[in-house]
Amino acid sequence: MEGNQKLMSRMDEAGFTQNELAEAMNAYLRALGHAGTVSDRTVRNWLTGKTRLPHSRQREALETVFNCRITELGFAPRGEKDPPPSGPMEDRVLRRHFISASAGIALTAASATPAHGHSAQRRVGADDVERLLSKFSALIVSDQQYGGRLTIETQASSLAAEALALQERGTASQRVRGALYACAAAFISSAMWAAIDGRRLDEAQNYFDRAAGLAAMSGDSTIQFRIWSHAGSLYRHLGRPADALAANDVARGLPIARRDPLFASLGHARHAVIHGLVGNATDVRRAIGHAREAHDRADPNDHRPVWMTAVRDQGEIEELALSAHLSLGNFEKAEAHAHRSLVLLRPYMQRDRAIVTARLAHAQLGQGDIELAIATAQSIPAGVFTRHPRITRLLGDFGVRLHAAAPDSSYSRAWDEYAHDTRRNNA
């Protein structure tokens, strides 16, 4: 066997490195109460063919992460067409549902595993919540760097299962139990956002259903705001602006949005994007104005969750205004918002920076600055161009609009050549 090309192809499609695949599998195994013993060397042995077939638990984790049978990943035992099944198809469907929709399924499986030594339940306290929140912060930073990756989605689902497992395996005060539900909801909201960002919209809808229930049990309006705000983005991507406005209205009506002007600012800015999609210029201007006024009223020293960093810095507010004016065809205003956003976004926010840059290229093209627009689009790192679904789509639309603006021109030919070479070299 000269290497496992099927597994390699699946990893490339999902954006996994060897270490990232190992981490995703270990997160799943740990959520089910097993030891996470997969390493990058384990994955390398699969890729080279040194190990012809993973053991049963590893096969189960691989099938769950990639949502396919083990034979579709290039594995088969010597002398057989198919390996022994890692469980009935119904079980595999349930395991996939854990990854794509419900941390609760993983919790059920984990709870069904007897604890070693049948020890008494331990007390769960604030330290456990703080530990989970630190993992959530790390997950947010990873999302801001890469965005949309299946690895982020998988890790977030597994961490939600970890938070819920503490509910079952330990005793806690009512306040701590509420905080654990909020942590689980926060992790599922990150999985939901990763699915939206990666254009896996059916899975995002499943995550929303789960996250909304967990958030309601937590009583935490901060995480409820994030989830309903994400729902507005989901419905916007699904082409359902009325539902998007309704979901965003729920977010804007929560206590946190009434109490903290920064949350109100984000709610107004996201409303502007939805109004832009339906061509309502008056409401776009009004919403952006309200967003700026609310931002000016916000106390910059108040403590806020890490996912609000770009809002606090105003980079996300400018990014949303850019999107709204781009939808309206106000290309000059869109370009101005793009430049302001790029200045305000922090350097590690690579995903947002790439999206803003792609939209800036659209705004410049809309003003007839073809050469500048192409240079702007080409400044996006090649790996981001080809691996991030939203950016790939934005740049694909850019190519279509470039051909419409300058058909059969040297500019169009140069862009086509660049796009083709970039995809080929980063395949």
Side-chain angles (χ1 to χ4, degrees):
M1 180 177 180
E2 297 180 359
N4 188 332
Q5 297 298 319
K6 288 185 178 180
L7 178 60
M8 189 177 301
S9 176
R10 289 276 187 165
M11 287 174 62
D12 286 343
E13 181 180 346
F16 281 120
T17 64
Q18 293 177 20
N19 189 56
E20 287 171 342
L21 175 56
E23 289 178 356
M25 292 178 64
N26 285 334
Y28 173 75
L29 292 169
R30 284 192 293 267
L32 295 183
H34 307 309
T37 57
V38 182
S39 67
D40 60 347
R41 183 176 180 179
T42 309
V43 178
R44 183 165 61 252
N45 287 341
W46 294 336
L47 290 170
T48 61
K50 184 176 181 179
T51 300
R52 295 180 59 87
L53 185 68
H55 63 65
S56 60
R57 284 179 182 167
Q58 291 175 344
R59 293 201 302 271
E60 176 182 322
L62 278 167
E63 288 181 336
T64 304
V65 168
F66 289 106
N67 191 29
C68 66
R69 293 181 180 276
I70 197 70
T71 50
E72 296 175 63
L73 298 173
F75 293 108
R78 189 183 302 277
E80 297 182 33
K81 291 183 179 180
D82 294 304
S86 58
M89 177 55 69
E90 293 80 4
D91 290 347
R92 288 196 290 272
V93 170
L94 289 178
R95 291 198 302 269
R96 179 57 189 169
H97 192 56
F98 157 75
I99 291 295
S100 65
S102 172
I105 289 176
L107 175 61
T108 300
S111 300
T113 304
H116 294 295
H118 304 282
S119 58
Q121 287 189 322
R122 72 177 183 86
R123 184 72 176 174
V124 180
D127 289 345
D128 295 287
V129 174
E130 287 300 318
R131 177 177 54 81
L132 288 168
L133 289 175
S134 68
K135 292 183 178 183
F136 180 56
S137 296
L139 190 70
I140 293 295
V141 172
S142 180
D143 173 70
Q144 290 170 339
Q145 286 180 314
Y146 307 112
R149 288 191 176 183
L150 186 60
T151 50
I152 295 173
E153 185 181 329
T154 304
Q155 184 183 9
S157 294
S158 299
L159 289 169
E162 182 180 335
L164 290 173
L166 289 173
Q167 295 273 15
E168 295 293 319
R169 297 173 181 169
T171 61
S173 67
Q174 184 175 355
R175 182 181 63 82
V176 169
R177 289 203 178 278
L180 289 173
Y181 279 124
C183 285
F187 287 127
I188 294 295
S189 74
S190 283
M192 174 185 174
W193 181 248
I196 293 170
D197 209 22
R199 306 296 294 181
R200 298 180 292 277
L201 301 182
D202 288 342
E203 295 186 8
Q205 179 68 64
N206 290 331
Y207 285 128
F208 168 61
D209 295 339
R210 180 63 177 164
L214 290 169
M217 287 188 285
S218 78
D220 186 334
S221 69
T222 300
I223 195 58
Q224 289 173 1
F225 180 96
R226 186 177 197 234
I227 291 163
W228 281 99
S229 189
H230 283 348
S233 298
L234 170 62
Y235 292 132
R236 177 163 51 85
H237 285 294
L238 288 170
R240 294 160 56 180
D243 290 336
L245 287 170
N248 205 48
D249 274 335
V250 174
R252 296 197 306 159
L254 289 165
I256 187 64
R258 297 194 298 270
R259 184 171 68 245
D260 188 337
L262 198 65
F263 282 83
S265 177
L266 178 57
H268 288 307
R270 287 189 167 162
H271 239 47
V273 177
I274 304 167
H275 287 310
L277 281 178
V278 297
N280 194 329
T282 300
D283 283 343
V284 165
R285 289 193 297 270
R286 183 182 296 116
I288 292 173
H290 289 327
R292 284 178 167 165
E293 291 169 4
H295 193 278
D296 289 343
R297 294 197 311 273
D299 185 345
N301 297 317
D302 282 353
H303 174 74
R304 297 181 178 91
V306 67
W307 52 268
M308 288 288 287
T309 298
V311 183
R312 186 182 63 216
D313 294 345
Q314 205 170 341
E316 186 169 351
I317 303 301
E318 295 293 340
E319 180 181 348
L320 292 166
L322 153 66
S323 180
H325 281 294
L326 201 58
S327 295
L328 292 173
N330 295 336
F331 299 118
E332 188 174 348
K333 288 184 178 180
E335 180 175 7
H337 286 295
H339 287 300
R340 284 196 289 270
S341 182
L342 290 171
V343 169
L344 293 166
L345 287 171
R346 300 194 180 192
Y348 66 83
M349 295 178 175
Q350 298 171 17
R351 184 267 315 280
D352 286 77
R353 186 168 296 277
I355 289 174
V356 171
T357 302
R359 287 177 174 153
L360 172 58
H362 276 269
Q364 291 166 337
L365 182 61
Q367 296 174 78
D369 296 331
I370 296 177
E371 191 169 359
L372 178 59
I374 291 174
T376 297
Q378 289 179 345
S379 71
I380 296 172
V384 179
F385 184 153
T386 57
R387 289 183 181 272
H388 193 288
R390 267 210 291 169
I391 296 166
T392 299
R393 182 172 180 175
L394 279 168
L395 292 177
D397 290 344
F398 175 82
V400 171
R401 292 180 180 180
L402 175 61
H403 276 277
D408 300 321
S409 67
S410 59
Y411 295 119
S412 297
R413 290 191 294 273
W415 172 256
D416 288 345
E417 182 178 350
Y418 170 78
H420 176 269
D421 290 346
T422 300
R423 294 189 186 97
R424 183 187 61 195
N425 294 334
N426 290 271

